[in-house]
Amino acid sequence: MAKILIPTPLRPYTDKQDAVDATGATVGELLADLTRRHSGLKAHLYNDQGKLRSFVNVYVNDEDIRYLQKEQTPVNASDTVSIIPSVAGGVDTVEDVRSVRLPSSHEASADLGRLGEPLTNDEVKRYSRHLIMPEVGVEGQRKLKASKVLCIGAGGLGSPVAMYLAAAGVGTLGIVDFDTVDFSNLQRQILHGTPDVGRPKLQSAKEKLHALNPEIDIQTYEVALSSQNALKLFEPYDVIVDGTDNFPTRYLVNDACVLLGKPNAYGSIFRFEGQASVFGTKDGPCYRCLYPEPPPPGLVPSCAEGGVLGVLPGLIGVIQATEAVKLIMGIGEPLIGRFLIYDALRMRFRELKLRKDPDCPVCGTHPTVTTLIDYEQFCGITPAAPEPVTVNRATEITAVELKQRLDRGDALKIVDVREPNEYQINRIPGSELIPLGDVPKRYGELNPDDEIVVHCKMGGRSAKAADFLRSVGFKRVLNLKGGILDWIDKVDPTQPKY
Amino acid sequence: MTSDRRLSLDASAEQAIRRHGEETYPHECCGALIGNGDRVTDLVPLPNTTEEGPRRRFLVRPSDYRLAERRAAELGSQLLGFYHSHPDHPARPSQYDLDHAWPTFAYVIVAVASGKAESMTVWFLKDDRSIFEEGSLHHGENSHPDTAQTVHG
């Protein structure tokens, strides 16, 4: 026997009593006895399948049985069981009928849905697999035709984004990039092929996309995106797709999208992990709601330093392209207010709920950022001033100087602070491998009286190693300027670069 | 279908519901109706805790429901029902409202179009849960003790 507290709306079924007794060893038995005694309750507590309705909450003392053993939760005579209604409601939409749940910010995409020119016969053929789906249809295809999407970057993410958007029939596709194709890009940047190495990325991108779909207009902008040009570049476009690989540009794209009220289909990749979301919609959060401040420079390595699984940008870029297409057509449930995290090694997706931060400096209720700022400075990156050679003479050595001194027979200890897998790709003959992370526990293996040259891939990690060694009493530590890449360029071109 | 049930809201309560709906627009607002018989004497505005998009949904969590019941008991009154807004939608209950409705409660719905509160209606769940029936909403100060009995009818 236990006491059950009855909420107001159910009291008509318990002879107006606000508490009734029932018998049973578990919550389930207790409720069964309750509905036997007061049969009018049954329809309100249970659904047609005999399951407790989702908006019926049952508490044992102060605990929701969902977090105990549900209906198997044991009860004894001293327990108080409460039935507590969840009161819920809302408006119907067409989507309810199809049981597609749309979040609140869906309306943000509504004004994207301009109808373009009627489709030509060739276009009907080309897009027939779209047209036969009622969710897309001729109307959706014409919205794509009228739409303008700007891709920031024609690299790992920009490649699949631009290819799928071009194939899908986005009428105007803009691409911003100022890089040239490098061999190290080919492992993932599928817009570019081996014959394109050395060419501007925009050239090879335009050719590939034009071959894929000659019906669309491809606009290329061979500039570095900056606070001076971003607003002007973004202005004619409906959706911006952020495929950048660095924090200053990421914050710049975010802020420009918020200021212009344009959705930002965001994606980023690092090693085996990718992220995606849609920022910058009217009611949705922005990148700064998630990360108000950039990480300290150097804390989060870039793909060039940390590496990236080649197929990873394929998946994340396709998610960005999917979101762009959905926003344009106004269908489905956009990735607004949700932050998707993908782990390629474990093959898992996680989703974090993101809320718009009312105190967000750019999209909050009282924004402090109302124009584009200096993002390099914001991210703690100061442009490298031409440094007087003399300043670094004592702490740095160039590849050519190192070669000359080795040839002279100087006793130099060369310490490579890269990771073992990098050491397998290329190395300076005679160097010893002590990865940066191991230096603090292994520096005892080095003789503080030796003259030591530290190096890494480009000079960043080895500068930290050199600082550390000096701090523990090493007097003669030189950092190889430009790392092994400079060594290969200037001294030993037979070795591969990465 | 109409119900013979009625709810009486005085001018200040009605204004407060409209204002609440306008303040939370484009999101749904919600709150509890407290009073005696069919007459609302107090409102308890509650946070909309839905995680499904507050433009189209509202949810009163169990702790707030308890708060409303407690408040009613403190006032020596009853919890009569809940109000909520339909931003840019008519003041008619949805299938979703029906699926989640409780018997005997009055459900007041205010339509808020482009940020401006418009029509207001009241609904009661039919005992077999099949449908909502529209009740009559009375404005002004007068209560009608003779019709109070129909609340649990």
Side-chain angles (χ1 to χ4, degrees):
Chain A
M1 186 78 81
K3 190 197 268 184
I4 304 179
L5 300 184
I6 306 296
T8 307
L10 296 182
R11 288 178 200 157
Y13 307 97
T14 57
D15 306 319
K16 301 208 162 86
Q17 299 173 82
D18 58 7
V20 295
D21 289 327
T23 51
T26 63
V27 169
E29 291 173 17
L30 212 61
L31 293 177
D33 186 48
L34 175 74
T35 51
R36 258 195 306 278
R37 293 173 192 227
H38 305 280
S39 58
L41 288 174
K42 201 164 181 180
H44 300 297
L45 295 180
Y46 294 96
N47 65 16
D48 296 342
Q49 286 82 48
K51 291 247 165 42
L52 267 183
R53 290 183 184 275
S54 62
F55 50 92
V56 175
N57 305 294
V58 181
Y59 280 59
V60 173
N61 303 319
D62 277 325
E63 287 280 355
D64 189 331
I65 61 164
R66 290 188 187 96
Y67 306 111
L68 300 170
Q69 295 161 51
K70 306 206 167 72
E71 285 173 72
Q72 272 74 57
T73 306
V75 277
N76 59 48
S78 61
D79 288 326
T80 301
V81 176
S82 318
I83 297 172
I84 301 173
S86 271
V87 179
V91 298
D92 285 330
T93 68
V94 181
E95 285 74 15
D96 281 332
V97 181
R98 287 188 267 140
S99 356
V100 176
R101 188 164 60 78
L102 286 176
S104 59
S105 319
H106 173 67
E107 290 81 349
S109 65
D111 56 346
L112 293 180
R114 294 185 309 271
L115 271 189
E117 296 288 307
L119 302 178
T120 64
N121 287 352
D122 282 348
E123 285 172 327
V124 169
K125 258 187 243 163
R126 176 180 287 269
Y127 305 120
S128 64
R129 296 299 183 276
H130 267 168
L131 305 180
I132 56 177
M133 291 195 291
E135 294 86 347
V136 180
V138 171
E139 188 180 314
Q141 195 63 50
R142 283 176 62 183
K143 286 179 183 173
L144 286 173
K145 188 176 178 177
S147 71
K148 298 178 170 190
V149 178
L150 183 66
C151 267
I152 312 299
L157 292 169
S159 287
V161 168
M163 288 175 88
Y164 273 105
L165 292 182
V170 164
T172 305
L173 191 56
I175 311 174
V176 186
D177 205 304
F178 64 99
D179 217 353
T180 52
V181 181
D182 184 84
F183 271 108
S184 66
N185 299 151
L186 302 177
Q187 158 255 26
R188 64 195 179 284
Q189 303 187 7
I190 56 172
L191 263 178
H192 320 292
T194 310
D196 298 317
V197 171
R199 299 175 72 203
K201 284 187 178 176
L202 286 182
Q203 261 180 32
S204 57
K206 197 166 180 170
E207 281 173 17
K208 297 283 179 346
L209 297 171
H210 192 73
L212 188 57
N213 190 348
E215 312 272 357
I216 64 165
D217 179 19
I218 298 159
Q219 296 286 331
T220 53
Y221 307 93
E222 195 155 16
V223 290
L225 192 70
S226 72
S227 300
Q228 284 69 47
N229 61 24
L231 294 177
K232 195 153 177 280
L233 275 173
F234 288 15
E235 222 292 314
Y237 289 91
D238 302 311
V239 179
I240 313 298
V241 182
D242 180 3
T244 55
D245 58 357
N246 63 81
F247 287 97
T249 318
R250 193 167 294 159
Y251 279 95
L252 167 60
V253 171
N254 178 74
D255 291 3
C257 284
V258 172
L259 294 177
L260 292 167
K262 295 189 188 288
N264 169 9
Y266 162 84
S268 80
I269 47 169
F270 178 65
R271 291 173 54 79
F272 298 97
E273 198 178 277
Q275 306 175 335
S277 191
V278 172
F279 295 123
T281 58
K282 188 163 157 271
D283 300 304
C286 79
Y287 186 72
R288 287 201 197 223
C289 297
L290 176 64
Y291 298 117
E293 298 283 333
L299 184 72
V300 182
S302 68
C303 286
E305 286 173 322
V308 60
L309 187 70
V311 293
L312 177 64
L315 193 133
I316 299 296
V318 169
I319 290 173
Q320 293 175 274
T322 308
E323 290 306 305
V325 164
K326 280 160 57 189
L327 287 168
I328 292 161
M329 296 196 291
I331 60 170
E333 183 184 347
L335 198 56
I336 298 168
R338 297 185 289 142
F339 194 71
L340 195 64
I341 299 172
Y342 165 66
D343 180 338
L345 285 184
R346 296 167 70 215
M347 194 43 78
R348 286 203 181 129
F349 286 91
R350 278 193 301 142
E351 197 179 298
L352 305 179
K353 220 179 274 289
L354 275 189
R355 291 181 205 287
K356 195 177 173 80
D357 178 3
D359 298 325
C360 175
V362 60
C363 78
T365 37
H366 301 288
T368 51
V369 177
T370 53
T371 55
L372 297 178
I373 58 172
D374 181 340
Y375 292 89
E376 298 277 332
Q377 191 187 39
F378 176 63
C379 294
I381 299 161
T382 38
E387 290 172 38
V389 180
T390 49
V391 171
N392 289 323
R393 181 140 293 167
T395 58
E396 282 193 340
I397 183 168
T398 67
V400 174
E401 285 165 358
L402 176 61
K403 171 74 171 141
Q404 287 166 352
R405 292 195 54 189
L406 289 172
D407 289 347
R408 275 210 308 264
D410 286 1
L412 292 171
K413 174 84 181 165
I414 303 174
V415 178
D416 185 339
V417 300
R418 298 175 301 159
E419 298 302 312
N421 51 327
E422 297 176 272
Y423 191 69
Q424 284 169 16
I425 301 169
N426 51 28
R427 68 184 73 166
I428 297 175
S431 63
E432 184 183 343
L433 178 72
I434 305 181
L436 178 61
D438 293 344
V439 173
K441 52 179 188 262
R442 288 183 55 192
Y443 70 88
E445 298 169 19
L446 303 170
N447 183 347
D449 298 327
D450 281 349
E451 189 169 11
I452 293 170
V453 175
V454 287
H455 85 87
C456 61
K457 183 183 178 188
M458 292 184 284
R461 281 172 286 174
S462 52
K464 286 180 192 149
D467 285 346
F468 174 82
L469 290 174
R470 286 184 205 109
S471 75
V472 293
F474 285 74
K475 293 283 180 284
R476 297 191 293 162
V477 185
L478 295 171
N479 182 23
L480 177 63
K481 210 175 161 187
I484 195 162
L485 292 188
D486 234 31
W487 172 266
I488 293 169
D489 280 345
K490 312 241 167 71
V491 177
D492 182 9
T494 61
Q495 292 207 58
K497 287 203 292 184
Y498 62 99
Chain B
M1 199 179 284
T2 56
S3 160
D4 53 2
R5 294 182 53 184
R6 49 173 286 145
L7 190 76
S8 172
L9 270 181
D10 67 29
S12 67
E14 192 193 321
Q15 273 314 307
I17 294 174
R18 289 180 184 281
R19 212 166 35 241
H20 193 193
E22 290 174 355
E23 278 165 13
T24 59
Y25 179 88
H27 297 165
E28 294 197 11
C29 72
C30 54
L33 307 165
I34 290 172
N36 292 297
D38 67 356
R39 185 166 176 232
V40 175
T41 54
D42 289 274
L43 298 178
V44 184
L46 296 169
N48 180 358
T49 59
T50 184
E51 292 186 343
E52 292 184 52
R55 277 185 186 228
R56 296 177 50 253
R57 294 281 182 259
F58 80 91
L59 174 69
V60 174
R61 62 186 164 197
S63 57
D64 289 329
Y65 178 85
R66 282 180 142 172
L67 177 93
E69 286 253 15
R70 209 161 44 236
R71 182 90 187 111
E74 282 164 12
L75 292 165
S77 303
Q78 287 172 292
L79 182 60
L80 299 183
F82 287 85
Y83 67 86
H84 71 280
S85 63
H86 277 183
D88 298 321
H89 266 266
R92 304 190 62 80
S94 61
Q95 182 63 41
Y96 191 87
D97 288 333
L98 179 65
D99 291 343
H100 292 79
W102 289 88
T104 73
F105 272 163
Y107 285 86
V108 167
I109 304 177
V110 59
V112 184
S114 308
K116 188 100 188 69
E118 293 183 344
S119 59
M120 192 185 283
T121 53
V122 64
W123 304 80
F124 299 90
L125 181 69
K126 205 175 163 197
D127 208 35
D128 64 2
R129 302 195 61 87
S130 61
I131 200 167
F132 260 120
E133 294 178 323
E134 184 165 9
S136 49
L137 196 58
H138 288 253
H139 309 287
E141 302 295 332
N142 303 331
S143 70
H144 295 263
D146 54 319
T147 55
Q149 293 308 309
T150 63
V151 168
H152 295 306

